[in-house]
Every structure is written in structure tokens, then in C-alpha cells.
Amino acid sequence: EVQLVQSGAEVKKPGESLRISCQCSGYSFTSYWINWVRQMPGKGPELMGRIDPSESYSHYSPAFEGHVTFSADKSINTAYLQWSSLKASDIGIYYCARNSQAYGSGRDSFDYWGQGTLVIVSS
Amino acid sequence: EIVMTQSPATLSVSPGERATLSCRASQSVRSYLAWYQQKPGQAPRLLIYGASTRATGIPARFSGSGSGTEFTLTISSLQSEDFAVYFCHQYNNWHTFGQGTKLEIK
């Protein structure tokens, strides 16, 4: 059974760093890109970007480039989303989601999603 | 950026009736269009990809149609578990999502 299990909710202050995780199981981790999606309250999802876990190659949406970093650890089938300095506007639920097709395609839907990680940034 | 506009924002339908949800793209996305269902506190669930192909395990009462800029998700006979928010997602040119249609019980 394919599962993406994310780390728990976080409450941080502006300027703090944060790394959240997405542990993947039930499939070949290096065969499917992992996407990171932000959803703010009452809004539609936004794609932040994606990572190819086989080579740790990442592609960022311009809206998020330079503010977040994706990484992946093939030894434990886990993808990460990291901030070095959080802003109050980073509040939201963050999902990892797997590409539907193996071996990379920018044109793909997302078939399995993590349960989401709530991030609250408040002074 | 391709803007996805969903209508209506809220749709009230009685159980057993048909629901028709619309999604319009600001430019052609060919057939690179997916639909997701999201219930409160849950992650989105893939229903339809390629505009009209049901994802694994999705009941036949869900169907998608359209291409280019106009798309429709139809739920033929609403069950209680179908009341949720539905998002469309284009993946032809990067990825953008609609703002969602809330399907509520009439």
C-alpha cells in the first residue's frame, strides 16, 4: 500500500528555521517525483515545486524559489521541505504528493498525498 | 500563469440527484486536467486525470469531460459521502489549481 506520512504540526516564530518531512512507503521512492503543495485556509492548493528523489534535482515555483529548499534521503525514503527563515505569511497546510506516473513527467497529476502538515508562524 | 476558474463556488444538490461542476482555464490546457475531492481535515483525493480518466478505485458515478479551456465533472447520483470540496488542476503548463466548488446537501 502506497503511503506518504508527514511530520506533525509546527508552531514557530518569524525568523526561525523549520524542516518538515514526508516518509514514503509501498513503492519505489526513487521512481516518482515528490511535489510540495501549500494550501492556505479556504483557498485552492498551490504547487511550490517538486523533487526527483533519485538525483535530488528540484524545480521550484518562482513564488517560492529562494525561500524554501527541497531535499530527499533515499536511504530512508523521505522527502523534506525546509525554511531557513520563516515569515508570518508562511502559515498554511503543506502537503507532499506523488506524481501519478513513474520516471518523471512535468505533465502529471498527483495520485497519493500525505495527510498534510499545519505550519503556524506567529510572534 | 494559467488561471483556473471554477463555478459555482457552492452547489446545493439533494442526495440521489446529479451534480455538474465546471472549470475554465484562461488558456488551453489540452487534456491535462485533473479533478480532486477534498473533505475537511483530509488531503485531496485524485478522482479524474487526463480530463476524463477515472483514477484507481473511483466509482463510475464520477465522470469528467472537456478539453482545451472548458471542463466538467459530473457526479451522476450523489451519495452522502460525495459532499465535499472539489478542485480542478491543470498540469499542461506548470501546475495551477482552481479555488474549488463546495458541494453541499440541499
Side-chain angles (χ1 to χ4, degrees):
Chain A
E1 179 192 8
V2 174
Q3 287 192 309
L4 282 65
V5 178
Q6 296 185 229
S7 49
E10 301 275 2
V11 180
K12 293 288 189 180
K13 292 181 167 54
E16 291 187 331
S17 63
L18 175 63
R19 188 177 78 166
I20 64 175
S21 66
C22 171
Q23 183 167 32
C24 305
S25 60
Y27 72 98
S28 172
F29 179 63
T30 54
S31 298
Y32 292 79
W33 292 0
I34 290 291
N35 303 274
W36 286 99
V37 178
R38 179 175 77 174
Q39 188 169 31
M40 302 183 80
K43 303 293 186 183
E46 288 176 89
L47 180 65
M48 302 171 70
R50 59 197 178 216
I51 184 167
D52 174 358
S54 66
E55 300 177 356
S56 286
Y57 170 77
S58 296
H59 185 188
Y60 297 91
S61 165
F64 295 93
E65 186 154 26
H67 184 53
V68 297
T69 303
F70 307 141
S71 60
D73 186 336
K74 292 185 287 187
S75 68
I76 55 172
N77 293 349
T78 300
Y80 300 97
L81 166 60
Q82 182 172 334
W83 294 260
S84 59
S85 180
L86 285 159
K87 304 176 186 177
S89 57
D90 289 321
I91 186 170
I93 299 176
Y94 292 84
Y95 294 99
C96 57
R98 192 188 82 160
N99 260 30
S100 298
Q101 298 180 75
Y103 304 117
S105 169
R107 291 197 174 98
D108 204 0
S109 55
F110 305 154
D111 61 352
Y112 287 93
W113 296 61
Q115 82 277 20
T117 297
L118 173 64
V119 173
I120 296 172
V121 184
S122 174
S123 53
Chain B
E1 175 181 300
I2 296 176
V3 177
M4 306 302 290
T5 303
Q6 292 187 242
S7 61
T10 303
L11 181 62
S12 300
V13 184
S14 300
E17 293 190 340
R18 175 189 297 259
T20 302
L21 289 67
S22 296
C23 176
R24 172 177 291 177
S26 60
Q27 58 186 270
S28 176
V29 299
R30 296 191 278 176
S31 293
Y32 294 106
L33 190 285
W35 289 94
Y36 300 84
Q37 176 193 70
Q38 188 175 33
K39 296 181 179 178
Q42 296 185 19
R45 172 194 181 199
L46 178 65
L47 300 174
I48 301 285
Y49 63 93
S52 61
T53 302
R54 277 190 303 278
T56 302
I58 301 304
R61 65 180 181 273
F62 291 90
S63 63
S65 63
S67 66
T69 62
E70 301 284 343
F71 300 88
T72 300
L73 174 69
T74 301
I75 311 170
S76 60
S77 178
L78 280 164
Q79 307 297 303
S80 58
E81 63 266 29
D82 299 336
F83 292 96
V85 177
Y86 292 83
F87 294 102
C88 58
H89 162 209
Q90 72 79 18
Y91 48 98
N92 180 58
N93 185 343
W94 189 240
H95 295 250
T96 48
F97 294 80
Q99 291 300 297
T101 290
K102 181 180 180 181
L103 182 57
E104 64 176 26
I105 299 175
K106 186 174 181 180

